[in-house]
Amino acid sequence: MLRAGTFGVMQGPSNWGRWGADDERGAANLLTDEHVLGACAVPQTGRVFNLGIQLKQGAPVAGNRISPVHLMLSDGGDYAALGRDDWGTADDYLFLASGGTSHIDALSHVWSGGKLYNGFSYKDVRSSGASRCGIEKTGGLVTRALLLDISGRPARDGGMTGPEIEAHLGDRGLEARPGDALLFHTGWMSAALSGELEGRSFPVVDTSAGDWIAEHDIALVGADNPAVEATGTRGVLPPLHDVLIRDLGVYIVEMLDLREPVLAGVDQGLLVIAPLLISRGVNSPVNPLLIS
Amino acid sequence: MLRAGTFGVMQGPSNWGRWGADDERGAANLLTDEHVLGACAVPQTGRVFNLGIQLKQGAPVAGNRISPVHLMLSDGGDYAALGRDDWGTADDYLFLASGGTSHIDALSHVWSGGKLYNGFSYKDVRSSGASRCGIEKTGGLVTRALLLDISGRPARDGGMTGPEIEAHLGDRGLEARPGDALLFHTGWMSAALSGELEGRSFPVVDTSAGDWIAEHDIALVGADNPAVEATGTRGVLPPLHDVLIRDLGVYIVEMLDLREPVLAGVDQGLLVIAPLLISRGVNSPVNPLLIS
Amino acid sequence: MLRAGTFGVMQGPSNWGRWGADDERGAANLLTDEHVLGACAVPQTGRVFNLGIQLKQGAPVAGNRISPVHLMLSDGGDYAALGRDDWGTADDYLFLASGGTSHIDALSHVWSGGKLYNGFSYKDVRSSGASRCGIEKTGGLVTRALLLDISGRPARDGGMTGPEIEAHLGDRGLEARPGDALLFHTGWMSAALSGELEGRSFPVVDTSAGDWIAEHDIALVGADNPAVEATGTRGVLPPLHDVLIRDLGVYIVEMLDLREPVLAGVDQGLLVIAPLLISRGVNSPVNPLLIS
Amino acid sequence: MLRAGTFGVMQGPSNWGRWGADDERGAANLLTDEHVLGACAVPQTGRVFNLGIQLKQGAPVAGNRISPVHLMLSDGGDYAALGRDDWGTADDYLFLASGGTSHIDALSHVWSGGKLYNGFSYKDVRSSGASRCGIEKTGGLVTRALLLDISGRPARDGGMTGPEIEAHLGDRGLEARPGDALLFHTGWMSAALSGELEGRSFPVVDTSAGDWIAEHDIALVGADNPAVEATGTRGVLPPLHDVLIRDLGVYIVEMLDLREPVLAGVDQGLLVIAPLLISRGVNSPVNPLLIS
């Protein structure tokens, strides 16, 4: 499935119109009440994993963005200076590039052929934000996640394909169901957090996996790197973004920290992602929770 | 339980030391694996409610803060101006007062008698943030929530007391269990969202309820207003904040939008709160999810 | 000179092409070395007036913007909390809407008929800022300013016309020279700073004054209000902005505090405006200095 | 004059009390009306030099700060997307570390021995900003500047001393007068702007020059680097900052771009610095203008 150069010509599967001509939530529609109830039944241990990274200066950041800036509006120092230790309150401000830290892409994050998911115009995304497919339309996502540790895969073997994903799951007795999330641990974030990114390559998901993802009605794909796929050369839309977000309305979650659940041997769990309801937002920082 | 003027003298129940001298997570410790598993079993319908308000200019805001500012780093307009509709991506920035929108207070948010929860010094909260009891130490919270609609209660009747909370729950066949969350719908947010705050009073929770909350090991108290309790006069720490956060390590979540679950007649559910892991943060904006 | 509805049809005087097809500085070109030397010879008393307003929460703000947010990165309180009074440093951050406080409009701030000043396309102003006519191209402006106190003019008399400006100056023995700045004191800022804006009207400059301004080669027009002219109905470009900035390349400076020089009876002085060199900026906050 | 380890013990000259016990403006008091008039008479050519650097992502930045973030609230792309080219306006936001780009230090920026300039307590500088010696108290500075190009001085020769400054000026027929500014071109900014900082050393001003500066009543010292002096080891207040700002109330301006006036052979001029009147600010970004 070669898409570069032919963006906007739908060559593979599509979910446009599937949930109505006005739908702005895409694969979130797969998270039916029944699916949610099923996902809530997945946890066996009750352990809660935080999949977001810490927001602070110097934290790993996706692309040419700045890391979050955290500033205090009031703090204990103010009271110390005043010699008042009877009581006090602290308050803070946050300035951040939503897409720079652990975040979920809204369906308005990318487009091709002039169209967002479901055929909305890219012109609906302006300085005032996305009047179509904003993250506030998505809201919270509750589903089952399947966690794939592919960090041992040599980068030279190319990206994971659909059949490889299926085999990986099958080996563990797992089967993807409609509405499920796939989370890929590539090792990128481990390296980023320990300052060892330079000169290294990491496994990715192949563009061709889009077909498998469509066929299995996966609702969300997450990874511990800045883009699920190979990001390609500058100035070309990552092709799997095009397939997942634009053609299928499938959500992408990036910059996750998956070390702990991988270390604990977790391969499935209840996944809860609660984007801030940023009006017309094209991303939201999130701290996804995985409950095993 | 009159506390004004005597802050810092522990007059009621306390959880200091209960989870160790170094504990910075307070009542989050009540959310044991077993409790989490129990909470996951609560949902009966699978419906997911977003309890956060939308982040945008002009949104309701707590106190003398600014409402969030959302700005675009790139958008469809840029591509339209360039005459390029082959493909594109949108990206955005967010600037916000963490405590101004729907948020969770970290245990470092308030102190009295010079002490934070568990006896840490308020001097650990400086411009660099809270080196003790920061929100990144708390992480995600998964529990059962009991939702109390008290919007019909006349403000002149004073705040809800512990026995009244117990009666309210009992009338609905509910009983609080250790680790549960209490969510109070007062009607404040409904009024704020429709621009009808002025001149109106809303019910609150009484300071005395702190004893009942301690006795029942409630882990979190939320409300659809800027402070669970009567905020009192400027320059005095809200006394229930002092009891809950500082004495007990109980979490407070404010500025929620509880209209939909109340309208749907929901009185309990699985509550998932996933604070951004803001390093040393004293608050985090959140979009809590309630799954009924 | 009625322009509404016919934007982009140059009906009056124009400076397009006057300083070359590539010029991005407009009337700043009138500030020749000779003109600057002449302006430096204007001061008679050596008194320096700050014409900017204070940047702080709650300050007067132009339009639907937020007032500046000032936050500390480090302060004395931090050292007090640490019990260290040997030495220390304080540092701060600023978040502001450039056009909300005292500011200068770049020539890229407005356009009509698809064209900025000198015929550049409005499409050169994107999320990455203004690649044409950005404020960093303008840089510092040094000129003579003529200060007109029109606060006594009844708003019902309509805006000041060119002949009225000339008469006002003539009465004071002043004559406008090419490159000069005109500063209008309308009383708006006095009222804004004392919280007395509501229900009041203030004098403005008439659109027709654009001809006189062009004829006299005025380089800059400033005022103590959010727009030099009547701002008109929402959704229509202020017509004098169109004439001055777009047709003539004349600079507009807004939200000034002119109370002190007016009180001191100053009617001319050396005016120095030093925009921050915000790369591709369409505005810059400024604190213009008037030296009498 | 060794100060490290003995901060707060006034060992050299002092201006405390010189302009009254309540004075918060320090050496700005030297800029009398007469001095201002004298400075206005300095320019001989009328050429205006912008001494600020451009504010943009990737710009040189002082210390561990972020470079300015410039974001658009509206731009031409929005109108292009709407297919409206009749007229439009552009607007922008700025987020910056005031002390990271070209800036002036307020007198509240540093302290030692628990005292700011003139004996005010460092505890007056809290999260709400500096209630004493804020930059809004300083306001605009108009003076004569002497520009010293010391970029040819080998770093191994140590910092410039007072007698060397005097000799340097004398060689050019210049003599410092009370209220004058000294601007030092070290070459640091040239190297920073061309990405050639690494591994290089640059000349600085010696701490001992503080005596000479005091004796000659210099009002302001500027440089094209992050600190006029050798910044020393982390965790020690730069000693010349201590002498100039705290003991003498002399202003420091940093991160200047002095390349153009140096190239033009300018050695004196009218210097105008117009800080934004940031209420309680401890720094302000500035674009100082030098008129030769």
Side-chain angles (χ1 to χ4, degrees):
Chain A
M1 191 193 294
L2 183 70
R3 300 181 68 93
T6 54
F7 287 116
V9 182
M10 194 89 74
Q11 297 158 311
S14 161
N15 282 327
W16 291 20
R18 177 173 174 186
W19 296 290
D22 291 335
D23 177 60
E24 305 180 42
R25 303 183 71 241
N29 288 291
L30 295 167
L31 310 186
T32 60
D33 290 359
E34 275 172 332
H35 182 83
V36 169
L37 284 181
C40 289
V42 169
Q44 300 295 316
T45 70
R47 184 162 173 199
V48 178
F49 297 94
N50 290 271
L51 306 185
I53 61 170
Q54 286 199 22
L55 279 65
K56 60 179 169 185
Q57 198 172 357
V61 67
N64 189 28
R65 298 182 184 85
I66 60 159
S67 50
V69 180
H70 175 233
L71 296 163
M72 301 297 287
L73 181 64
S74 73
D75 58 54
D78 304 324
Y79 294 82
L82 291 166
R84 290 197 54 176
D85 63 6
D86 51 347
W87 65 270
T89 66
D91 228 327
D92 48 6
Y93 269 82
L94 187 63
F95 178 76
L96 85 167
S98 301
T101 187
S102 306
H103 69 280
I104 183 169
D105 292 341
L107 297 185
S108 47
H109 175 52
V110 301
W111 58 86
S112 65
K115 301 294 181 189
L116 305 175
Y117 162 74
N118 214 14
F120 295 115
S121 173
Y122 75 108
K123 296 181 179 177
D124 291 334
V125 186
R126 297 191 298 273
S127 293
S128 52
S131 62
R132 290 289 186 175
C133 300
I135 196 66
E136 84 281 18
K137 307 278 176 60
T138 298
L141 300 175
V142 178
T143 188
R144 180 176 75 137
L146 304 173
L147 174 52
L148 296 86
D149 178 13
I150 62 170
S151 61
R153 178 189 180 85
R156 65 173 178 277
D157 287 359
M160 288 281 281
T161 63
E164 287 176 296
I165 293 171
E166 181 139 352
H168 182 108
L169 295 176
D171 287 350
R172 285 149 188 83
L174 296 169
E175 195 178 353
R177 292 192 296 255
D180 279 354
L182 298 181
L183 303 180
F184 293 93
H185 178 254
T186 71
W188 188 94
M189 184 59 75
S190 305
L193 288 165
S194 55
E196 296 168 352
L197 274 184
E198 207 164 343
R200 295 183 56 186
S201 297
F202 297 87
V204 293
V205 177
D206 197 75
T207 307
S208 70
D211 287 337
W212 189 91
I213 288 167
E215 190 184 327
H216 290 78
D217 260 346
I218 298 299
L220 183 149
V221 178
D224 67 338
N225 62 19
V228 169
E229 63 213 290
T231 50
T233 50
R234 183 179 173 77
V236 176
L237 179 64
L240 192 55
H241 270 64
D242 194 38
V243 175
L244 296 188
I245 294 180
R246 186 259 197 186
D247 295 353
L248 301 175
V250 166
Y251 289 87
I252 294 181
V253 178
E254 294 158 332
M255 297 291 284
L256 296 174
D257 181 357
L258 298 169
R259 293 176 302 173
E260 289 201 10
V262 163
L263 197 66
V266 171
D267 52 19
Q268 66 171 322
L270 165 61
L271 178 70
V272 180
I273 301 184
L276 299 180
L277 300 180
I278 302 166
S279 179
R280 298 174 169 238
V282 299
N283 290 292
S284 175
V286 288
N287 173 22
L289 301 185
L290 183 68
I291 306 155
S292 69
Chain B
M1 190 193 296
L2 184 70
R3 298 181 69 93
T6 54
F7 287 114
V9 182
M10 195 88 73
Q11 297 158 312
S14 161
N15 282 327
W16 290 20
R18 177 173 173 187
W19 296 289
D22 291 335
D23 177 60
E24 305 181 41
R25 302 183 71 243
N29 288 292
L30 295 168
L31 309 187
T32 60
D33 291 358
E34 277 170 334
H35 182 83
V36 169
L37 283 181
C40 288
V42 170
Q44 300 295 315
T45 71
R47 186 166 172 195
V48 178
F49 297 94
N50 290 271
L51 306 186
I53 60 170
Q54 286 199 18
L55 278 64
K56 58 180 170 185
Q57 197 172 358
V61 66
N64 188 29
R65 297 180 185 87
I66 61 159
S67 49
V69 180
H70 174 233
L71 296 163
M72 300 296 288
L73 182 62
S74 73
D75 57 55
D78 302 325
Y79 293 83
L82 291 166
R84 290 198 54 177
D85 61 6
D86 51 347
W87 64 270
T89 66
D91 228 326
D92 47 6
Y93 269 82
L94 188 63
F95 178 75
L96 84 169
S98 299
T101 187
S102 306
H103 69 279
I104 182 169
D105 292 341
L107 297 185
S108 47
H109 176 52
V110 301
W111 58 86
S112 66
K115 300 294 182 190
L116 304 176
Y117 161 75
N118 214 15
F120 295 115
S121 172
Y122 75 107
K123 295 180 179 178
D124 291 334
V125 187
R126 299 191 297 272
S127 294
S128 53
S131 62
R132 290 289 185 175
C133 300
I135 196 66
E136 83 281 17
K137 307 277 177 60
T138 298
L141 301 175
V142 178
T143 189
R144 180 177 75 139
L146 304 173
L147 173 53
L148 298 85
D149 178 14
I150 62 169
S151 61
R153 177 188 180 88
R156 66 173 177 276
D157 287 0
M160 288 280 282
T161 63
E164 287 175 295
I165 292 171
E166 180 138 355
H168 181 108
L169 294 176
D171 288 349
R172 286 151 187 82
L174 296 169
E175 196 178 352
R177 294 193 294 255
D180 280 353
L182 298 181
L183 303 180
F184 293 93
H185 177 254
T186 71
W188 187 94
M189 185 59 75
S190 304
L193 287 166
S194 55
E196 296 167 352
L197 274 183
E198 205 164 344
R200 296 181 56 184
S201 295
F202 297 88
V204 293
V205 177
D206 198 74
T207 307
S208 70
D211 287 338
W212 188 91
I213 288 166
E215 189 184 326
H216 289 77
D217 260 345
I218 298 298
L220 182 149
V221 177
D224 66 337
N225 62 18
V228 169
E229 63 211 292
T231 48
T233 50
R234 183 180 172 78
V236 176
L237 180 65
L240 191 54
H241 270 64
D242 194 38
V243 176
L244 296 189
I245 294 179
R246 187 258 195 189
D247 295 354
L248 300 174
V250 167
Y251 289 87
I252 294 181
V253 179
E254 295 157 330
M255 297 291 286
L256 296 174
D257 181 357
L258 298 169
R259 293 176 302 172
E260 288 201 10
V262 163
L263 197 67
V266 171
D267 52 19
Q268 65 171 321
L270 165 61
L271 178 70
V272 180
I273 300 184
L276 300 179
L277 300 180
I278 303 166
S279 179
R280 299 174 169 237
V282 299
N283 290 292
S284 174
V286 288
N287 174 23
L289 301 186
L290 182 68
I291 305 156
S292 69
Chain C
M1 191 193 294
L2 184 69
R3 300 181 68 93
T6 55
F7 287 115
V9 182
M10 195 89 74
Q11 297 157 314
S14 161
N15 282 327
W16 290 21
R18 178 174 173 186
W19 296 289
D22 290 336
D23 178 61
E24 304 181 43
R25 303 183 72 241
N29 288 290
L30 295 167
L31 309 187
T32 61
D33 291 358
E34 275 172 332
H35 183 82
V36 169
L37 283 182
C40 289
V42 169
Q44 299 295 315
T45 70
R47 184 164 173 197
V48 178
F49 297 94
N50 290 270
L51 307 186
I53 61 170
Q54 286 198 20
L55 278 64
K56 59 179 169 185
Q57 197 172 358
V61 67
N64 189 28
R65 297 181 184 87
I66 61 159
S67 50
V69 180
H70 176 233
L71 296 162
M72 300 298 287
L73 182 63
S74 73
D75 57 56
D78 303 325
Y79 293 83
L82 291 166
R84 291 199 51 178
D85 62 6
D86 49 348
W87 64 270
T89 66
D91 228 326
D92 47 6
Y93 268 81
L94 187 64
F95 178 75
L96 85 168
S98 300
T101 186
S102 306
H103 69 280
I104 183 169
D105 292 341
L107 297 185
S108 47
H109 176 53
V110 300
W111 58 86
S112 65
K115 301 293 182 189
L116 305 175
Y117 162 74
N118 213 14
F120 295 116
S121 173
Y122 74 108
K123 296 179 178 177
D124 292 334
V125 187
R126 299 191 297 273
S127 293
S128 52
S131 62
R132 291 289 186 174
C133 300
I135 196 66
E136 83 281 16
K137 307 278 176 60
T138 298
L141 300 175
V142 178
T143 188
R144 181 176 75 137
L146 303 173
L147 174 53
L148 297 86
D149 177 13
I150 62 169
S151 61
R153 178 188 178 88
R156 65 173 177 277
D157 288 359
M160 286 282 281
T161 63
E164 287 176 295
I165 293 170
E166 181 139 355
H168 182 108
L169 294 175
D171 288 350
R172 285 149 189 84
L174 297 170
E175 197 179 351
R177 291 192 297 255
D180 280 354
L182 298 181
L183 303 180
F184 293 93
H185 177 254
T186 71
W188 187 93
M189 185 59 75
S190 305
L193 288 165
S194 55
E196 296 168 352
L197 274 183
E198 206 164 343
R200 294 183 57 186
S201 296
F202 297 87
V204 293
V205 177
D206 197 74
T207 308
S208 70
D211 288 337
W212 188 90
I213 288 166
E215 190 183 327
H216 289 78
D217 260 346
I218 297 299
L220 183 149
V221 177
D224 67 337
N225 61 20
V228 169
E229 64 212 293
T231 49
T233 49
R234 183 179 171 76
V236 176
L237 179 65
L240 192 54
H241 270 64
D242 193 38
V243 175
L244 296 188
I245 294 179
R246 188 257 195 187
D247 295 354
L248 300 175
V250 166
Y251 289 86
I252 294 181
V253 179
E254 294 158 332
M255 296 292 285
L256 296 174
D257 181 357
L258 298 168
R259 294 176 301 172
E260 288 201 10
V262 163
L263 197 67
V266 171
D267 52 19
Q268 65 171 319
L270 165 60
L271 178 71
V272 180
I273 301 184
L276 300 179
L277 300 180
I278 303 165
S279 179
R280 299 176 167 235
V282 299
N283 290 292
S284 174
V286 288
N287 174 22
L289 301 185
L290 182 68
I291 307 155
S292 69
Chain D
M1 190 193 293
L2 184 69
R3 300 180 69 93
T6 54
F7 287 115
V9 182
M10 195 88 73
Q11 297 157 312
S14 161
N15 282 327
W16 290 19
R18 177 173 173 187
W19 296 289
D22 291 335
D23 178 60
E24 304 180 43
R25 302 183 71 241
N29 288 291
L30 295 167
L31 309 187
T32 61
D33 291 357
E34 275 170 333
H35 182 83
V36 168
L37 283 181
C40 288
V42 170
Q44 300 295 314
T45 70
R47 186 164 172 196
V48 178
F49 297 93
N50 290 270
L51 306 185
I53 61 170
Q54 287 199 18
L55 279 65
K56 59 180 170 186
Q57 197 172 358
V61 67
N64 189 27
R65 298 181 184 86
I66 61 159
S67 50
V69 181
H70 175 232
L71 296 163
M72 301 297 288
L73 182 63
S74 73
D75 57 55
D78 304 324
Y79 292 84
L82 291 165
R84 290 198 55 179
D85 62 5
D86 51 348
W87 65 270
T89 67
D91 229 327
D92 46 7
Y93 269 81
L94 188 63
F95 179 74
L96 85 169
S98 298
T101 187
S102 306
H103 70 279
I104 183 168
D105 291 342
L107 297 185
S108 46
H109 176 54
V110 301
W111 57 86
S112 65
K115 301 293 183 189
L116 305 176
Y117 161 74
N118 213 14
F120 296 115
S121 173
Y122 75 108
K123 296 181 179 178
D124 291 333
V125 186
R126 299 190 297 272
S127 293
S128 53
S131 62
R132 290 290 186 175
C133 300
I135 196 65
E136 83 281 16
K137 307 278 177 59
T138 298
L141 301 176
V142 178
T143 188
R144 181 176 74 138
L146 304 173
L147 174 53
L148 297 87
D149 177 15
I150 62 169
S151 60
R153 178 189 179 88
R156 66 173 176 277
D157 288 0
M160 288 281 281
T161 63
E164 287 176 294
I165 292 171
E166 182 139 352
H168 182 107
L169 294 176
D171 288 348
R172 286 150 187 82
L174 296 170
E175 196 178 351
R177 293 192 294 256
D180 280 353
L182 298 181
L183 303 180
F184 292 93
H185 178 253
T186 71
W188 187 94
M189 184 59 74
S190 304
L193 288 166
S194 55
E196 295 167 353
L197 275 182
E198 205 164 344
R200 295 182 56 186
S201 296
F202 298 88
V204 294
V205 177
D206 197 75
T207 307
S208 70
D211 288 337
W212 188 90
I213 288 166
E215 190 183 326
H216 289 77
D217 260 347
I218 298 297
L220 183 149
V221 177
D224 66 337
N225 62 18
V228 169
E229 64 212 292
T231 49
T233 49
R234 185 180 171 78
V236 176
L237 180 64
L240 192 55
H241 270 65
D242 193 39
V243 176
L244 297 188
I245 295 180
R246 187 257 195 188
D247 295 353
L248 300 175
V250 166
Y251 289 87
I252 293 181
V253 179
E254 294 158 332
M255 296 292 284
L256 296 174
D257 181 357
L258 298 169
R259 293 176 301 171
E260 289 201 10
V262 163
L263 197 67
V266 171
D267 53 19
Q268 65 170 321
L270 165 61
L271 178 70
V272 181
I273 300 184
L276 300 179
L277 300 179
I278 303 166
S279 179
R280 300 174 167 237
V282 300
N283 290 292
S284 174
V286 287
N287 174 22
L289 300 185
L290 183 68
I291 306 157
S292 70

